[in-house]
């Protein structure tokens, strides 16, 4: 019994060694897929994250301490410059009216018409984003009774290596984390002149202003901003993975109808990472070969790039997706 166990263990060990040697000796099988060069549109973009904030945040404070008599607006209200948004009484008027009220409604009416309340005006045109008082509430002249902003922007943090590519008034797209299916068209409104360095990473703050501010946009929301840097339409495009650089030259493997594939030197333009523009070296409808890697048996191993194995139905789409 003991001898049988030893023999079994030896067989298992030898089997494992044999399998390991087999896997170790296998090499990646080099295969190729075809891609037909076509024209398309390409855009170079820069991605950044930011926060929705008012362009100008303004706190409204009363010139004297007192009490709110009536509030005429609510949070989210859009107001014009000089619009009356509330009525207030100074501390002296509030005390006098309270004393008059204790003597009867007629006495109260007399003094309230003799000494009129003070209006609280909107100093700029914009949106009321915070209401800090209710009718009957007292306050000092240092308390902010309302907070308003002229318009909302996204302050995006852009890496210093990308800042040179972003220009004033260039187009951008804002996507709020809270509303990912509602992108907002925007423009670059301001470029910061001072940088911020955090953990040895230097960034600049870019103000991005929506072309139209939606009602659901709120101060403090997290936003993702895509800046449009350059774009071209109707230009030759190939997958970036089809290229390789040798001695400073960019090469692709071009398929020939009656000859083996050849390495062709090309000149490139814009790239978005996945696709690259071809300026010279290829024409529309040329077919290039893109190398694939897979583990196969030894019968299909080949390292000769001029004798590739083309998988059935290997032609790729114009977008370069396999």
């Amino acid at each position: 019994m003991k001898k049988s166990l030893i023999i079994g263990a030896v067989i298992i060990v030898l089997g494992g060694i044999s399998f390991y040697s087999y896997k170790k000796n296998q090499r990646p099988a080099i295969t190729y897929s075809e891609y037909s060069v076509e024209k398309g549109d390409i855009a170079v973009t820069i991605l950044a994250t930011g926060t929705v904030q008012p362009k100008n945040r303004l706190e409204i404070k009363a010139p004297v301490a007192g009490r709110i008599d009536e509030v005429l607006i609510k949070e989210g209200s859009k107001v014009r410059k000089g619009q009356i948004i509330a009525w207030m009484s100074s501390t002296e008027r509030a005390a006098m009216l309270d004393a008059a009220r204790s003597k009867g409604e007629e006495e109260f009416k007399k003094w309230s018409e003799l000494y009129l309340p003070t209006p609280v005006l909107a100093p700029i045109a914009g949106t009321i984003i915070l209401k800090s008082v209710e009718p009957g509430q007292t306050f000092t002249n240092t308390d902010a009774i309302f907070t308003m902003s002229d318009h909302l922007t996204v302050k995006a943090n852009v890496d210093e290596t990308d800042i040179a590519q972003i220009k004033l008034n260039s187009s951008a797209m804002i996507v709020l984390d809270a509303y990912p299916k509602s992108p907002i068209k925007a423009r670059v409104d301001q470029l910061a002149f001072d940088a911020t360095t955090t953990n040895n990473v230097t960034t600049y703050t870019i103000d991005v202003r929506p072309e139209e501010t939606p009602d659901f946009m709120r101060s403090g929301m997290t936003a993702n901003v895509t800046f449009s840097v350059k774009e071209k339409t109707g230009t030759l495009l190939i997958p970036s993975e089809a290229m390789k650089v040798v001695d400073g030259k960019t090469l692709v493997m071009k398929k020939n109808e009656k000859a083996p594939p050849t390495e062709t030197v090309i000149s490139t333009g814009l790239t978005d990472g996945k696709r690259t523009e071809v300026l010279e070296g290829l024409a529309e409808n040329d077919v290039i070969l893109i190398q694939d890697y897979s583990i196969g048996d030894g019968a299909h191993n080949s390292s000769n790039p001029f004798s590739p194995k083309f998988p059935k139905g290997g032609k790729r789409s114009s977008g370069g997706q396999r």
Side-chain angles (χ1 to χ4, degrees):
M1 182 69 178
K2 186 175 182 181
K3 183 177 181 181
S4 299
L5 291 174
I6 294 174
I7 293 173
V10 171
I11 292 174
I12 292 173
V13 172
L14 291 176
I17 294 174
S18 299
F19 179 77
Y20 173 78
S21 299
Y22 168 76
K23 297 296 287 183
K24 183 177 180 181
N25 291 331
Q26 277 195 319
R27 296 179 179 178
I30 301 178
T31 61
Y32 293 82
S33 297
E34 295 182 359
Y35 177 88
S36 180
V37 180
E38 296 181 0
K39 289 185 177 180
D41 302 337
I42 188 171
V44 179
T45 59
I46 294 174
L47 302 178
T49 58
T51 305
V52 178
Q53 295 182 21
K55 174 67 175 179
N56 293 302
R57 181 186 177 95
L58 181 65
E59 293 183 340
I60 301 175
K61 299 178 181 180
V64 294
R67 182 172 67 193
I68 287 291
D69 293 336
E70 184 180 6
V71 178
L72 305 177
I73 49 84
K74 60 183 179 180
E75 290 183 0
S77 298
K78 297 184 183 301
V79 298
R80 64 184 184 278
K81 182 178 180 180
Q83 179 178 336
I84 298 175
I85 59 178
W87 291 97
M88 63 160 286
S89 294
S90 65
T91 302
E92 291 78 9
R93 181 178 188 271
M96 182 187 64
L97 290 180
D98 289 345
R101 190 188 298 272
S102 66
K103 296 180 180 181
E105 190 63 31
E106 186 176 341
E107 191 75 7
F108 173 79
K109 183 179 180 181
K110 171 187 172 182
W111 288 103
S112 62
E113 291 177 352
L114 186 60
Y115 294 98
L116 298 177
T118 302
V120 179
L121 307 179
I124 60 173
T127 304
I128 302 296
I129 60 175
L130 183 63
K131 177 171 66 73
S132 304
V133 291
E134 297 293 342
Q137 184 173 344
T138 59
F139 53 85
T140 68
N141 59 355
T142 60
D143 295 331
I145 54 180
F146 298 99
T147 304
M148 63 181 302
S149 68
D150 49 1
H151 59 264
L152 294 175
T153 64
V154 173
K155 294 188 178 294
N157 298 315
V158 177
D159 191 273
E160 63 175 332
T161 57
D162 296 323
I163 192 68
Q165 302 181 67
I166 300 176
K167 308 299 181 184
L168 278 176
N169 205 40
S170 60
S171 60
M173 188 68 71
I174 298 170
V175 177
L176 302 173
D177 282 0
Y179 298 92
K181 296 183 180 180
S182 301
I184 304 166
K185 293 182 179 180
R187 293 279 175 182
V188 175
D189 190 46
Q190 184 175 337
L191 304 175
F193 287 90
D194 192 21
T196 300
T197 302
T198 305
N199 296 328
N200 295 323
V201 177
T202 301
T203 59
Y204 286 83
T205 300
I206 308 296
D207 284 2
V208 184
R209 181 173 181 174
E211 293 183 358
E212 293 185 7
T213 304
D215 293 335
F216 56 77
M217 194 172 185
R218 298 286 187 273
S219 179
M221 286 183 171
T222 301
N224 297 289
V225 183
T226 302
F227 296 95
S228 296
V229 177
K230 293 180 181 178
E231 58 184 24
K232 280 190 178 181
T233 59
T235 188
L236 290 180
L237 300 173
I238 62 172
S240 299
E241 60 183 331
M243 305 180 303
K244 67 177 181 179
V245 179
V246 179
D247 296 330
K249 297 179 179 180
T250 303
L251 307 174
V252 295
M253 188 73 72
K254 180 180 177 182
K255 182 182 178 182
N256 300 306
E257 291 296 330
K258 299 180 180 180
T262 57
E263 287 188 332
T264 302
V265 179
I266 63 171
S267 175
T268 61
L270 298 181
T271 181
D272 61 7
K274 293 182 178 180
R275 300 179 301 163
T276 299
E277 177 190 18
V278 178
L279 302 177
E280 295 179 356
L282 292 174
E284 189 174 7
N285 297 323
D286 281 349
V287 177
I288 59 175
L289 307 179
I290 304 176
Q291 183 173 314
D292 299 318
Y293 286 94
S294 62
I295 300 298
D297 55 35
H300 295 102
N301 286 344
S302 172
S303 60
N304 184 358
F306 298 100
S307 300
K309 170 181 175 289
F310 299 112
K312 189 175 181 180
K315 186 173 182 179
R316 301 190 178 198
S317 66
S318 62
Q321 298 297 321
R322 302 186 183 181

